Amino acid sequence: DVKVTQSSRYLVKRTGEKVFLECVQDMDHENMFWYRQDPGLGLRLIYFSYDVKMKEKGDIPEGYSVSREKKERFSLILESASTNQTSMYLCASSYPTHAPQATQYFGPGTRLTVL
Amino acid sequence: AQTVTQSQPEMSVQEAETVTLSCTYDTSENNYYLFWYKQPPSRQMILVIRQEAYKQQNATENRFSVNFQKAAKSFSLKISDSQLGDTAMYFCAFMKQEAGTASKLTFGTGTRLQVTL
C-alpha cells in the first residue's frame, strides 16, 4: 500500500514565524502536491512538484514556497505565517503523468493554527 | 479552466438505504479522469472510485457505483446498502492528462454525508 506521511497532525504557530510542513511518501512517486482544505472551499492546490528540484505554482501559491531535495520528501514553507493561513494542509503523491491511472494518494493532513 | 460543482453541501441517509451524491463539471477536454474521494471524520482522504472519460461503462467498486454522463458532464456517486462507516465528506474531482508536468486534480467543495440508524 502507498504510504504518505506528514510530520505533524496539529501545529500551533505565532504570526510571523517561519513554518515547515514535511511530507514523505514511500512509493517512489514522481509527483507530489500540497493542498489546503477550508470549509466550503474544498481542496485548493498550493504547489506541486513533478521531479526532484522541479516545482510549479498551483492555484494559491501566495505566501508559500516549497522544497524538494529528495524524491520522497516534499516540504511546504510558510515564510512568515499569517492568521489567514490557519487551515488544514494535505499532501499527496502520484505516479508520473504518463501512467495510465495517475491517482493521487493523500497524507493524514496537518491542522495548522496561526495565532 | 475546469470547474467541479457539488450542489449538495450535506446529505443524510438511513443505514441500509441507497443515496446518490451529485457532481457536475465543466471542461473542453475530451480525455480526462473523474474521481470520488472519501474523507472520514479526522481520518485520511481515500480514493473511492475512478472513471476514465473514454470508457462508456460506469465504474463500480462493491457498494459504490457511478453514473457517468459525458455529454451532460455529470458524474454522480451511488452508495448502496449504506453503512455507518460511510459517514464522511465526499469530494468529486477532475483530472486532465498533462504533458511534461504533473496531472492536477480540481476538486468540488464536498458533500458531507451522515449515515443514521
Side-chain angles (χ1 to χ4, degrees):
Chain A
D1 279 350
V2 176
K3 192 165 185 183
V4 181
T5 57
Q6 295 182 229
S7 50
S8 306
R9 287 302 303 269
Y10 301 93
L11 207 54
V12 179
K13 295 292 181 180
R14 297 225 173 258
T15 302
E17 278 192 81
K18 190 169 186 175
V19 181
F20 293 86
L21 303 183
E22 303 284 334
C23 175
V24 177
Q25 51 94 4
D26 67 356
M27 279 300 291
D28 204 34
H29 284 168
E30 274 76 3
N31 300 332
M32 296 187 76
F33 306 83
W34 275 106
Y35 297 89
R36 64 176 283 175
Q37 181 181 1
D38 300 290
L41 297 178
L43 278 75
R44 294 177 291 165
L45 181 63
I46 304 171
Y47 266 97
F48 65 97
S49 168
Y50 54 90
D51 202 348
V52 176
K53 297 190 186 293
M54 305 303 291
K55 59 188 179 185
E56 285 194 26
K57 294 179 180 179
D59 300 317
I60 51 165
E62 296 79 18
Y64 304 93
S65 62
V66 290
S67 172
R68 193 164 180 206
E69 296 297 319
K70 293 185 177 181
K71 191 174 186 179
E72 68 271 18
R73 187 179 298 269
F74 191 36
S75 302
L76 179 70
I77 304 156
L78 287 66
E79 296 289 341
S80 177
S82 64
T83 55
N84 63 13
Q85 292 178 310
T86 290
S87 186
M88 171 71 88
Y89 290 87
L90 296 176
C91 175
S93 69
S94 72
Y95 286 113
T97 300
H98 61 266
Q101 293 162 340
T103 298
Q104 290 186 21
Y105 297 88
F106 285 82
T110 295
R111 186 167 296 281
L112 173 67
T113 301
V114 183
L115 301 175
Chain B
Q2 287 73 34
T3 59
V4 178
T5 302
Q6 294 180 250
S7 58
Q8 306 150 314
E10 294 185 354
M11 295 190 72
S12 181
V13 63
Q14 285 193 318
E15 201 176 22
E17 297 295 307
T18 295
V19 64
T20 299
L21 280 58
S22 66
C23 173
T24 58
Y25 59 95
D26 187 24
T27 184
S28 57
E29 301 291 329
N30 192 45
N31 294 319
Y32 50 87
Y33 298 103
L34 294 161
F35 303 82
W36 279 99
Y37 279 91
K38 168 185 177 181
Q39 187 180 41
S42 301
R43 291 179 60 191
Q44 205 148 338
M45 180 108 68
I46 58 172
L47 177 69
V48 175
I49 200 164
R50 174 182 53 231
Q51 174 81 43
E52 291 85 355
Y54 62 86
K55 290 187 178 178
Q56 290 188 330
Q57 187 172 8
N58 288 325
T60 62
E61 287 288 342
N62 301 313
R63 298 183 295 107
F64 298 87
S65 62
V66 297
N67 183 5
F68 173 48
Q69 302 288 330
K70 191 173 184 179
K73 295 179 183 175
S74 171
F75 184 60
S76 60
L77 175 70
K78 185 171 84 170
I79 306 174
S80 304
D81 186 26
S82 297
Q83 300 175 358
L84 294 178
D86 296 333
T87 292
M89 181 73 90
Y90 287 82
F91 291 98
C92 178
F94 171 99
M95 176 192 285
K96 70 168 187 176
Q97 285 232 275
E98 305 260 11
T101 183
S103 295
K104 299 173 286 292
L105 285 170
T106 300
F107 284 88
T109 52
T111 295
R112 187 175 301 279
L113 177 67
Q114 180 73 46
V115 180
T116 59
L117 292 170

mmCIF file of all heavy atoms in Angstrom, chain A residues 48-89:
data_model
loop_
_atom_site.group_PDB
_atom_site.id
_atom_site.type_symbol
_atom_site.label_atom_id
_atom_site.label_comp_id
_atom_site.label_asym_id
_atom_site.label_seq_id
_atom_site.Cartn_x
_atom_site.Cartn_y
_atom_site.Cartn_z
ATOM 1 N N PHE A 48 3.024 22.117 -6.558
ATOM 2 C CA PHE A 48 3.282 20.722 -6.845
ATOM 3 C C PHE A 48 4.669 20.558 -7.443
ATOM 4 O O PHE A 48 5.305 21.537 -7.871
ATOM 5 C CB PHE A 48 2.195 20.125 -7.747
ATOM 6 C CG PHE A 48 2.126 20.714 -9.126
ATOM 7 C CD1 PHE A 48 2.757 20.076 -10.188
ATOM 8 C CD2 PHE A 48 1.420 21.881 -9.371
ATOM 9 C CE1 PHE A 48 2.672 20.605 -11.476
ATOM 10 C CE2 PHE A 48 1.337 22.420 -10.639
ATOM 11 C CZ PHE A 48 1.962 21.778 -11.695
ATOM 12 N N SER A 49 5.106 19.316 -7.457
ATOM 13 C CA SER A 49 6.433 19.003 -7.969
ATOM 14 C C SER A 49 6.345 17.728 -8.797
ATOM 15 O O SER A 49 5.715 16.761 -8.369
ATOM 16 C CB SER A 49 7.409 18.805 -6.806
ATOM 17 O OG SER A 49 8.616 18.241 -7.247
ATOM 18 N N TYR A 50 6.975 17.707 -9.973
ATOM 19 C CA TYR A 50 6.931 16.530 -10.822
ATOM 20 C C TYR A 50 8.276 15.819 -10.909
ATOM 21 O O TYR A 50 8.425 14.844 -11.647
ATOM 22 C CB TYR A 50 6.397 16.863 -12.224
ATOM 23 C CG TYR A 50 7.134 17.981 -12.914
ATOM 24 C CD1 TYR A 50 8.229 17.722 -13.720
ATOM 25 C CD2 TYR A 50 6.703 19.296 -12.762
ATOM 26 C CE1 TYR A 50 8.886 18.752 -14.356
ATOM 27 C CE2 TYR A 50 7.370 20.332 -13.386
ATOM 28 C CZ TYR A 50 8.463 20.053 -14.187
ATOM 29 O OH TYR A 50 9.122 21.074 -14.811
ATOM 30 N N ASP A 51 9.262 16.322 -10.177
ATOM 31 C CA ASP A 51 10.569 15.673 -10.131
ATOM 32 C C ASP A 51 11.388 16.378 -9.048
ATOM 33 O O ASP A 51 11.037 17.483 -8.595
ATOM 34 C CB ASP A 51 11.271 15.770 -11.481
ATOM 35 C CG ASP A 51 12.335 14.691 -11.668
ATOM 36 O OD1 ASP A 51 12.685 14.009 -10.671
ATOM 37 O OD2 ASP A 51 12.830 14.527 -12.804
ATOM 38 N N VAL A 52 12.502 15.766 -8.679
ATOM 39 C CA VAL A 52 13.373 16.396 -7.683
ATOM 40 C C VAL A 52 13.802 17.781 -8.183
ATOM 41 O O VAL A 52 14.163 17.946 -9.345
ATOM 42 C CB VAL A 52 14.600 15.509 -7.416
ATOM 43 C CG1 VAL A 52 15.563 16.202 -6.467
ATOM 44 C CG2 VAL A 52 14.166 14.170 -6.846
ATOM 45 N N LYS A 53 13.720 18.745 -7.301
ATOM 46 C CA LYS A 53 14.089 20.141 -7.555
ATOM 47 C C LYS A 53 13.190 20.843 -8.577
ATOM 48 O O LYS A 53 13.430 22.013 -8.899
ATOM 49 C CB LYS A 53 15.555 20.256 -7.990
ATOM 50 C CG LYS A 53 16.543 19.796 -6.928
ATOM 51 C CD LYS A 53 17.966 20.152 -7.304
ATOM 52 C CE LYS A 53 18.953 19.556 -6.325
ATOM 53 N NZ LYS A 53 18.838 20.171 -4.987
ATOM 54 N N MET A 54 12.165 20.169 -9.073
ATOM 55 C CA MET A 54 11.227 20.796 -10.012
ATOM 56 C C MET A 54 9.946 21.123 -9.264
ATOM 57 O O MET A 54 9.408 20.278 -8.541
ATOM 58 C CB MET A 54 10.924 19.865 -11.182
ATOM 59 C CG MET A 54 12.147 19.377 -11.924
ATOM 60 S SD MET A 54 13.160 20.708 -12.574
ATOM 61 C CE MET A 54 12.107 21.347 -13.853
ATOM 62 N N LYS A 55 9.452 22.330 -9.439
ATOM 63 C CA LYS A 55 8.239 22.747 -8.749
ATOM 64 C C LYS A 55 7.449 23.704 -9.640
ATOM 65 O O LYS A 55 8.030 24.408 -10.472
ATOM 66 C CB LYS A 55 8.571 23.425 -7.421
ATOM 67 C CG LYS A 55 9.456 24.652 -7.578
ATOM 68 C CD LYS A 55 9.933 25.179 -6.244
ATOM 69 C CE LYS A 55 10.836 26.384 -6.447
ATOM 70 N NZ LYS A 55 11.426 26.865 -5.182
ATOM 71 N N GLU A 56 6.150 23.714 -9.417
ATOM 72 C CA GLU A 56 5.284 24.638 -10.138
ATOM 73 C C GLU A 56 4.229 25.187 -9.189
ATOM 74 O O GLU A 56 3.790 24.494 -8.263
ATOM 75 C CB GLU A 56 4.593 23.936 -11.322
ATOM 76 C CG GLU A 56 5.507 23.683 -12.496
ATOM 77 C CD GLU A 56 4.736 23.301 -13.755
ATOM 78 O OE1 GLU A 56 3.563 23.692 -13.875
ATOM 79 O OE2 GLU A 56 5.319 22.605 -14.602
ATOM 80 N N LYS A 57 3.812 26.401 -9.455
ATOM 81 C CA LYS A 57 2.758 27.014 -8.653
ATOM 82 C C LYS A 57 1.412 26.400 -8.987
ATOM 83 O O LYS A 57 1.143 26.063 -10.138
ATOM 84 C CB LYS A 57 2.705 28.521 -8.926
ATOM 85 C CG LYS A 57 3.929 29.277 -8.462
ATOM 86 C CD LYS A 57 3.815 30.752 -8.787
ATOM 87 C CE LYS A 57 5.055 31.495 -8.325
ATOM 88 N NZ LYS A 57 4.982 32.939 -8.656
ATOM 89 N N GLY A 58 0.599 26.276 -7.943
ATOM 90 C CA GLY A 58 -0.764 25.855 -8.136
ATOM 91 C C GLY A 58 -1.686 27.061 -8.231
ATOM 92 O O GLY A 58 -1.292 28.106 -8.769
ATOM 93 N N ASP A 59 -2.865 26.920 -7.662
ATOM 94 C CA ASP A 59 -3.867 27.980 -7.767
ATOM 95 C C ASP A 59 -3.704 29.086 -6.723
ATOM 96 O O ASP A 59 -4.119 30.220 -6.946
ATOM 97 C CB ASP A 59 -5.272 27.366 -7.649
ATOM 98 C CG ASP A 59 -5.526 26.356 -8.749
ATOM 99 O OD1 ASP A 59 -5.162 26.638 -9.911
ATOM 100 O OD2 ASP A 59 -6.086 25.280 -8.455
ATOM 101 N N ILE A 60 -3.112 28.752 -5.568
ATOM 102 C CA ILE A 60 -2.998 29.739 -4.484
ATOM 103 C C ILE A 60 -1.598 29.714 -3.868
ATOM 104 O O ILE A 60 -1.418 29.450 -2.692
ATOM 105 C CB ILE A 60 -4.059 29.498 -3.388
ATOM 106 C CG1 ILE A 60 -4.053 28.040 -2.905
ATOM 107 C CG2 ILE A 60 -5.458 29.870 -3.892
ATOM 108 C CD1 ILE A 60 -4.791 27.827 -1.608
ATOM 109 N N PRO A 61 -0.545 30.064 -4.623
ATOM 110 C CA PRO A 61 0.815 29.947 -4.102
ATOM 111 C C PRO A 61 1.276 31.114 -3.209
ATOM 112 O O PRO A 61 2.307 31.004 -2.535
ATOM 113 C CB PRO A 61 1.645 29.927 -5.382
ATOM 114 C CG PRO A 61 0.849 30.773 -6.340
ATOM 115 C CD PRO A 61 -0.600 30.496 -6.019
ATOM 116 N N GLU A 62 0.520 32.191 -3.185
ATOM 117 C CA GLU A 62 0.981 33.394 -2.481
ATOM 118 C C GLU A 62 1.164 33.103 -0.990
ATOM 119 O O GLU A 62 0.273 32.591 -0.324
ATOM 120 C CB GLU A 62 -0.022 34.537 -2.666
ATOM 121 C CG GLU A 62 -0.177 35.012 -4.111
ATOM 122 C CD GLU A 62 -1.054 34.092 -4.942
ATOM 123 O OE1 GLU A 62 -1.812 33.285 -4.363
ATOM 124 O OE2 GLU A 62 -0.957 34.172 -6.182
ATOM 125 N N GLY A 63 2.331 33.490 -0.476
ATOM 126 C CA GLY A 63 2.629 33.305 0.938
ATOM 127 C C GLY A 63 3.280 31.972 1.260
ATOM 128 O O GLY A 63 3.594 31.708 2.428
ATOM 129 N N TYR A 64 3.478 31.130 0.222
ATOM 130 C CA TYR A 64 4.060 29.804 0.410
ATOM 131 C C TYR A 64 5.249 29.600 -0.517
ATOM 132 O O TYR A 64 5.352 30.228 -1.561
ATOM 133 C CB TYR A 64 3.032 28.709 0.102
ATOM 134 C CG TYR A 64 1.748 28.785 0.885
ATOM 135 C CD1 TYR A 64 0.636 29.460 0.365
ATOM 136 C CD2 TYR A 64 1.634 28.188 2.131
ATOM 137 C CE1 TYR A 64 -0.551 29.531 1.067
ATOM 138 C CE2 TYR A 64 0.440 28.245 2.842
ATOM 139 C CZ TYR A 64 -0.643 28.928 2.295
ATOM 140 O OH TYR A 64 -1.815 28.981 3.009
ATOM 141 N N SER A 65 6.133 28.699 -0.117
ATOM 142 C CA SER A 65 7.164 28.191 -1.001
ATOM 143 C C SER A 65 7.321 26.707 -0.720
ATOM 144 O O SER A 65 6.752 26.189 0.249
ATOM 145 C CB SER A 65 8.494 28.923 -0.813
ATOM 146 O OG SER A 65 8.980 28.730 0.507
ATOM 147 N N VAL A 66 8.066 26.004 -1.573
ATOM 148 C CA VAL A 66 8.244 24.564 -1.398
ATOM 149 C C VAL A 66 9.684 24.186 -1.673
ATOM 150 O O VAL A 66 10.454 24.939 -2.278
ATOM 151 C CB VAL A 66 7.324 23.747 -2.331
ATOM 152 C CG1 VAL A 66 5.864 23.858 -1.914
ATOM 153 C CG2 VAL A 66 7.527 24.144 -3.784
ATOM 154 N N SER A 67 10.025 22.980 -1.219
ATOM 155 C CA SER A 67 11.361 22.450 -1.451
ATOM 156 C C SER A 67 11.246 20.957 -1.691
ATOM 157 O O SER A 67 10.550 20.249 -0.959
ATOM 158 C CB SER A 67 12.248 22.710 -0.234
ATOM 159 O OG SER A 67 13.484 22.054 -0.356
ATOM 160 N N ARG A 68 11.963 20.473 -2.717
ATOM 161 C CA ARG A 68 12.023 19.039 -2.973
ATOM 162 C C ARG A 68 13.460 18.683 -3.342
ATOM 163 O O ARG A 68 13.839 18.694 -4.499
ATOM 164 C CB ARG A 68 11.060 18.616 -4.067
ATOM 165 C CG ARG A 68 10.891 17.090 -4.101
ATOM 166 C CD ARG A 68 9.710 16.693 -4.861
ATOM 167 N NE ARG A 68 9.547 15.248 -4.883
ATOM 168 C CZ ARG A 68 8.911 14.603 -5.835
ATOM 169 N NH1 ARG A 68 8.368 15.276 -6.830
ATOM 170 N NH2 ARG A 68 8.784 13.286 -5.776
ATOM 171 N N GLU A 69 14.226 18.326 -2.310
ATOM 172 C CA GLU A 69 15.629 17.966 -2.478
ATOM 173 C C GLU A 69 15.801 16.464 -2.706
ATOM 174 O O GLU A 69 16.780 16.040 -3.303
ATOM 175 C CB GLU A 69 16.420 18.404 -1.248
ATOM 176 C CG GLU A 69 16.432 19.918 -1.044
ATOM 177 C CD GLU A 69 17.120 20.636 -2.186
ATOM 178 O OE1 GLU A 69 18.161 20.158 -2.667
ATOM 179 O OE2 GLU A 69 16.592 21.689 -2.619
ATOM 180 N N LYS A 70 14.857 15.674 -2.223
ATOM 181 C CA LYS A 70 14.865 14.228 -2.424
ATOM 182 C C LYS A 70 13.509 13.798 -2.966
ATOM 183 O O LYS A 70 12.493 14.433 -2.687
ATOM 184 C CB LYS A 70 15.162 13.499 -1.118
ATOM 185 C CG LYS A 70 16.562 13.724 -0.587
ATOM 186 C CD LYS A 70 16.822 12.879 0.635
ATOM 187 C CE LYS A 70 18.252 13.064 1.124
ATOM 188 N NZ LYS A 70 18.537 12.216 2.315
ATOM 189 N N LYS A 71 13.512 12.719 -3.709
ATOM 190 C CA LYS A 71 12.297 12.289 -4.387
ATOM 191 C C LYS A 71 11.167 12.008 -3.405
ATOM 192 O O LYS A 71 10.008 12.286 -3.680
ATOM 193 C CB LYS A 71 12.593 11.032 -5.204
ATOM 194 C CG LYS A 71 11.492 10.637 -6.161
ATOM 195 C CD LYS A 71 11.936 9.473 -7.012
ATOM 196 C CE LYS A 71 10.906 9.155 -8.080
ATOM 197 N NZ LYS A 71 11.334 8.022 -8.933
ATOM 198 N N GLU A 72 11.483 11.439 -2.247
ATOM 199 C CA GLU A 72 10.433 11.018 -1.333
ATOM 200 C C GLU A 72 9.909 12.128 -0.430
ATOM 201 O O GLU A 72 8.921 11.922 0.267
ATOM 202 C CB GLU A 72 10.953 9.865 -0.457
ATOM 203 C CG GLU A 72 12.037 10.234 0.534
ATOM 204 C CD GLU A 72 13.439 10.101 -0.049
ATOM 205 O OE1 GLU A 72 13.564 10.050 -1.298
ATOM 206 O OE2 GLU A 72 14.391 10.061 0.747
ATOM 207 N N ARG A 73 10.528 13.291 -0.439
ATOM 208 C CA ARG A 73 10.185 14.322 0.538
ATOM 209 C C ARG A 73 9.827 15.640 -0.148
ATOM 210 O O ARG A 73 10.559 16.114 -1.024
ATOM 211 C CB ARG A 73 11.368 14.532 1.481
ATOM 212 C CG ARG A 73 11.107 15.441 2.657
ATOM 213 C CD ARG A 73 12.360 15.544 3.515
ATOM 214 N NE ARG A 73 12.736 14.240 4.054
ATOM 215 C CZ ARG A 73 12.334 13.760 5.218
ATOM 216 N NH1 ARG A 73 11.544 14.489 5.980
ATOM 217 N NH2 ARG A 73 12.742 12.578 5.631
ATOM 218 N N PHE A 74 8.727 16.223 0.310
ATOM 219 C CA PHE A 74 8.256 17.495 -0.263
ATOM 220 C C PHE A 74 7.833 18.399 0.886
ATOM 221 O O PHE A 74 6.949 18.036 1.663
ATOM 222 C CB PHE A 74 7.078 17.213 -1.216
ATOM 223 C CG PHE A 74 6.658 18.363 -2.080
ATOM 224 C CD1 PHE A 74 7.572 19.259 -2.600
ATOM 225 C CD2 PHE A 74 5.316 18.526 -2.431
ATOM 226 C CE1 PHE A 74 7.178 20.295 -3.425
ATOM 227 C CE2 PHE A 74 4.916 19.566 -3.264
ATOM 228 C CZ PHE A 74 5.841 20.441 -3.754
ATOM 229 N N SER A 75 8.493 19.538 1.000
ATOM 230 C CA SER A 75 8.245 20.428 2.131
ATOM 231 C C SER A 75 7.490 21.676 1.704
ATOM 232 O O SER A 75 7.774 22.244 0.637
ATOM 233 C CB SER A 75 9.576 20.849 2.760
ATOM 234 O OG SER A 75 10.309 19.712 3.173
ATOM 235 N N LEU A 76 6.560 22.074 2.526
ATOM 236 C CA LEU A 76 5.823 23.332 2.328
ATOM 237 C C LEU A 76 6.321 24.322 3.370
ATOM 238 O O LEU A 76 6.407 23.984 4.551
ATOM 239 C CB LEU A 76 4.319 23.114 2.478
ATOM 240 C CG LEU A 76 3.441 24.346 2.314
ATOM 241 C CD1 LEU A 76 3.445 24.806 0.849
ATOM 242 C CD2 LEU A 76 2.012 24.058 2.761
ATOM 243 N N ILE A 77 6.650 25.526 2.912
ATOM 244 C CA ILE A 77 7.226 26.537 3.803
ATOM 245 C C ILE A 77 6.342 27.773 3.807
ATOM 246 O O ILE A 77 5.984 28.295 2.751
ATOM 247 C CB ILE A 77 8.659 26.907 3.339
ATOM 248 C CG1 ILE A 77 9.520 25.650 3.274
ATOM 249 C CG2 ILE A 77 9.271 27.941 4.276
ATOM 250 C CD1 ILE A 77 10.694 25.752 2.342
ATOM 251 N N LEU A 78 5.998 28.200 5.017
ATOM 252 C CA LEU A 78 5.323 29.480 5.191
ATOM 253 C C LEU A 78 6.380 30.440 5.702
ATOM 254 O O LEU A 78 6.843 30.329 6.837
ATOM 255 C CB LEU A 78 4.171 29.359 6.199
ATOM 256 C CG LEU A 78 2.900 28.613 5.762
ATOM 257 C CD1 LEU A 78 3.149 27.139 5.510
ATOM 258 C CD2 LEU A 78 1.795 28.819 6.787
ATOM 259 N N GLU A 79 6.805 31.350 4.854
ATOM 260 C CA GLU A 79 7.941 32.212 5.185
ATOM 261 C C GLU A 79 7.651 33.092 6.401
ATOM 262 O O GLU A 79 8.518 33.323 7.236
ATOM 263 C CB GLU A 79 8.302 33.078 3.981
ATOM 264 C CG GLU A 79 8.790 32.296 2.775
ATOM 265 C CD GLU A 79 10.186 31.694 2.970
ATOM 266 O OE1 GLU A 79 10.916 32.162 3.875
ATOM 267 O OE2 GLU A 79 10.555 30.763 2.230
ATOM 268 N N SER A 80 6.446 33.617 6.477
ATOM 269 C CA SER A 80 6.043 34.462 7.608
ATOM 270 C C SER A 80 4.553 34.207 7.827
ATOM 271 O O SER A 80 3.698 34.800 7.169
ATOM 272 C CB SER A 80 6.304 35.929 7.281
ATOM 273 O OG SER A 80 5.858 36.767 8.335
ATOM 274 N N ALA A 81 4.267 33.306 8.754
ATOM 275 C CA ALA A 81 2.897 32.836 8.917
ATOM 276 C C ALA A 81 1.941 33.974 9.270
ATOM 277 O O ALA A 81 2.281 34.886 10.049
ATOM 278 C CB ALA A 81 2.850 31.763 9.994
ATOM 279 N N SER A 82 0.746 33.896 8.693
ATOM 280 C CA SER A 82 -0.292 34.875 8.999
ATOM 281 C C SER A 82 -1.564 34.134 9.401
ATOM 282 O O SER A 82 -1.734 32.940 9.109
ATOM 283 C CB SER A 82 -0.567 35.770 7.789
ATOM 284 O OG SER A 82 -1.077 34.998 6.713
ATOM 285 N N THR A 83 -2.457 34.835 10.075
ATOM 286 C CA THR A 83 -3.668 34.190 10.597
ATOM 287 C C THR A 83 -4.534 33.619 9.472
ATOM 288 O O THR A 83 -5.227 32.611 9.684
ATOM 289 C CB THR A 83 -4.498 35.169 11.442
ATOM 290 O OG1 THR A 83 -4.778 36.341 10.669
ATOM 291 C CG2 THR A 83 -3.732 35.570 12.705
ATOM 292 N N ASN A 84 -4.491 34.201 8.285
ATOM 293 C CA ASN A 84 -5.303 33.676 7.192
ATOM 294 C C ASN A 84 -4.717 32.405 6.582
ATOM 295 O O ASN A 84 -5.279 31.845 5.628
ATOM 296 C CB ASN A 84 -5.569 34.732 6.109
ATOM 297 C CG ASN A 84 -4.306 35.210 5.439
ATOM 298 O OD1 ASN A 84 -3.243 34.620 5.579
ATOM 299 N ND2 ASN A 84 -4.414 36.291 4.678
ATOM 300 N N GLN A 85 -3.605 31.939 7.122
ATOM 301 C CA GLN A 85 -3.052 30.655 6.706
ATOM 302 C C GLN A 85 -3.428 29.534 7.676
ATOM 303 O O GLN A 85 -2.977 28.397 7.514
ATOM 304 C CB GLN A 85 -1.532 30.748 6.558
ATOM 305 C CG GLN A 85 -1.126 31.650 5.389
ATOM 306 C CD GLN A 85 0.366 31.787 5.247
ATOM 307 O OE1 GLN A 85 1.074 32.086 6.220
ATOM 308 N NE2 GLN A 85 0.871 31.588 4.037
ATOM 309 N N THR A 86 -4.249 29.851 8.649
ATOM 310 C CA THR A 86 -4.829 28.824 9.504
ATOM 311 C C THR A 86 -5.721 27.941 8.645
ATOM 312 O O THR A 86 -6.663 28.423 8.003
ATOM 313 C CB THR A 86 -5.654 29.460 10.634
ATOM 314 O OG1 THR A 86 -4.770 30.111 11.545
ATOM 315 C CG2 THR A 86 -6.464 28.413 11.387
ATOM 316 N N SER A 87 -5.403 26.640 8.603
ATOM 317 C CA SER A 87 -6.099 25.753 7.689
ATOM 318 C C SER A 87 -5.640 24.318 7.921
ATOM 319 O O SER A 87 -4.736 24.048 8.711
ATOM 320 C CB SER A 87 -5.798 26.153 6.236
ATOM 321 O OG SER A 87 -6.567 25.396 5.309
ATOM 322 N N MET A 88 -6.289 23.380 7.179
ATOM 323 C CA MET A 88 -5.819 22.012 7.090
ATOM 324 C C MET A 88 -4.971 21.906 5.834
ATOM 325 O O MET A 88 -5.411 22.304 4.750
ATOM 326 C CB MET A 88 -7.001 21.045 7.020
ATOM 327 C CG MET A 88 -6.615 19.614 6.714
ATOM 328 S SD MET A 88 -5.784 18.798 8.087
ATOM 329 C CE MET A 88 -7.226 18.182 8.953
ATOM 330 N N TYR A 89 -3.760 21.344 5.982
ATOM 331 C CA TYR A 89 -2.866 21.182 4.844
ATOM 332 C C TYR A 89 -2.716 19.694 4.538
ATOM 333 O O TYR A 89 -2.382 18.891 5.415
ATOM 334 C CB TYR A 89 -1.507 21.819 5.138
ATOM 335 C CG TYR A 89 -1.596 23.319 5.183
ATOM 336 C CD1 TYR A 89 -1.924 23.979 6.368
ATOM 337 C CD2 TYR A 89 -1.393 24.077 4.040
ATOM 338 C CE1 TYR A 89 -2.047 25.362 6.405
ATOM 339 C CE2 TYR A 89 -1.497 25.457 4.061
ATOM 340 C CZ TYR A 89 -1.831 26.092 5.242
ATOM 341 O OH TYR A 89 -1.949 27.463 5.270
#
